[in-house]
Amino acid sequence: MTEQRPGEHMAAEIAQQPDVLAGLVGRQAEIAEVAEKISQRPPRFALLAARGSSDHAALYAKYLIEVLLGLPAGLVSPSTATLYGARPDLRDVLFVTVSQSGGSPDLIEVTETARRQGALTVSVTNTPDSPLRAASELGVDIGAGVEKAVAATKTYSATLMALYLLIDAVRGGKAADAEKIGELAQQTLDGAAEGVQRAVDRYRFVDRVLTTGRGYSYASALEGSLKLAETSYLAARAYSGADLLHGPVAAVDGETAVLAVTSKGQGGQAMHEVLEAVGKRGADVLAVGSAASEVPAALRIDVAPTVEELAPILEILPIQRIALGLSLARGGDPDSPRGLLKVTKTR
């Protein structure tokens, strides 16, 4: 029996993402059927429930819903229902629960509660036969296949893709902007290889990393911070670029590595002021995104350009590769981070 090499599963699952994303786009019509049922019950606003990486995907969906659909959207605190017994009036509300496993008790319970309180409940999960799917009225299968590494990679990007396809279909879209997402993902992975290796070499011994982004890319900053923390055990923090300037920038100095997600669009443009500020404080900046070449940085990793609302699906790919490389360079095994399980059950 061949011994498994550290990071073998994570590396393989990162590489699978172009095919997974292309496969999801090929199922647009199936996801549009769920969107049609949502359109038949137009919501007043939307709520999203999630944990961990899925919470970052839910934040991405919040931006999509507010910008593309023009609806107010918020992130739910499941404990208000599970621990405190809150029972808000959720009539005419779209309630979307995002969970790769579909097995966390708090997400199942808050979804059941929302359904009883009148919400139209939709689960977005990689486990279509999960208790979460049974608890929700409608469901979207992200179809990423089995993920063996503890750190979510293909399930994360596939969740983003599924949420985009769902929300785009609600507004009547046919996923035209996402048609070539699989090709763009492969282009991004191939084109980022050299930059990823330079980043791993440069930050191998760093202790403190700050990740930042604006708009849609804020979700990528949060997910990047989580990946670095769980695979390389780094003291990683994520901030919106706007929030960073409201205080935390004071803690930035020459010992701080800053991973800035900067893709073309309004969010990327808003990052210029942020990076000028951290640069003046001596931070070592790594810019990742389709606008990386347009901002001041010590290192830049370009990402294939696309419409801004799809950028998080691509810009997370080299960040995942950086997390993988740093973990291995620091003697870790990102497939099995210490103290973590693939399915975390909370209440």
Side-chain angles (χ1 to χ4, degrees):
M1 183 176 178
T2 304
E3 184 177 351
Q4 179 190 327
R5 299 186 305 276
E8 180 179 348
H9 292 316
M10 186 175 179
E13 287 157 4
I14 290 173
Q16 291 167 17
Q17 289 174 104
D19 288 340
V20 170
L21 295 170
L24 257 171
V25 175
R27 292 171 45 221
Q28 190 274 343
E30 172 190 327
I31 295 172
E33 291 178 5
V34 179
E36 174 60 26
K37 293 176 182 177
I38 294 172
S39 299
Q40 291 170 1
R41 293 171 57 180
R44 293 181 291 121
F45 60 89
L47 294 173
L48 300 116
R51 294 290 192 192
S53 287
S54 293
D55 198 38
H56 307 151
L59 177 64
Y60 167 71
K62 179 180 184 294
Y63 276 89
L64 290 175
I65 292 168
E66 292 183 341
V67 176
L68 302 186
L69 301 184
L71 291 176
L75 300 179
V76 169
S77 299
S79 62
T80 60
T82 62
L83 299 184
Y84 296 99
R87 297 294 183 265
D89 181 356
L90 297 180
R91 287 172 293 179
D92 301 322
V93 172
L94 174 63
F95 193 98
V96 182
T97 308
V98 187
S99 172
Q100 293 151 18
S101 70
S104 187
D106 55 351
L107 295 179
I108 296 165
E109 184 176 342
V110 75
T111 302
E112 292 171 338
T113 298
R115 191 170 181 177
R116 285 195 297 269
Q117 295 304 112
L120 173 58
T121 52
V122 182
S123 62
V124 179
T125 177
N126 196 44
T127 313
D129 59 351
S130 63
L132 175 62
R133 175 61 190 94
S136 57
E137 187 171 342
L138 303 173
V140 173
D141 175 12
I142 71 172
V146 176
E147 189 172 60
K148 296 181 180 179
V150 169
T153 53
K154 65 176 182 176
T155 54
Y156 177 73
S157 61
T159 300
L160 298 186
M161 189 76 258
L163 287 165
Y164 173 82
L165 292 171
L166 178 66
I167 294 163
D168 178 63
V170 171
R171 66 169 175 171
K174 303 292 184 182
D177 289 328
E179 184 179 351
K180 296 185 182 299
I181 197 72
E183 297 173 28
L184 294 175
Q186 191 62 61
Q187 179 183 328
T188 296
L189 286 171
D190 293 344
E194 183 179 342
V196 167
Q197 188 56 57
R198 292 205 316 271
V200 170
D201 293 341
R202 188 179 186 94
Y203 302 116
R204 178 177 179 178
F205 299 107
V206 75
D207 292 320
R208 186 167 41 138
V209 177
L210 185 153
T211 65
T212 184
R214 288 290 305 270
Y216 293 108
S217 294
Y218 180 34
S220 301
L222 287 162
E223 177 64 10
S225 176
L226 175 60
K227 284 291 161 285
L228 292 170
E230 69 182 353
T231 62
S232 298
Y233 316 133
L234 287 166
R237 291 289 302 273
Y239 294 98
S240 155
D243 288 335
L244 180 58
L245 295 182
H246 277 270
V249 70
V252 174
D253 57 25
E255 299 299 312
T256 308
V258 175
L259 193 164
V261 190
T262 57
S263 288
K264 294 182 183 296
Q266 299 300 315
Q269 290 176 13
M271 286 297 294
H272 285 253
E273 180 185 5
V274 179
L275 296 184
E276 288 173 2
V278 298
K280 288 177 181 177
R281 300 194 61 83
D284 194 285
V285 177
L286 165 63
V288 176
S290 57
S293 61
E294 302 171 11
V295 299
L299 284 178
R300 299 177 179 87
I301 298 177
D302 290 321
V303 169
T306 186
V307 294
E308 186 176 6
E309 55 264 32
L310 286 172
I313 297 171
L314 300 178
E315 63 201 14
I316 197 61
L317 305 180
I319 297 174
Q320 293 171 348
R321 281 257 175 94
I322 291 169
L324 168 66
L326 283 175
S327 178
L328 295 174
R330 294 161 71 94
D333 181 2
D335 286 343
S336 303
R338 65 192 183 205
L340 296 179
L341 298 173
K342 186 61 181 172
V343 179
T344 303
K345 297 187 176 183
T346 51
R347 188 174 186 274

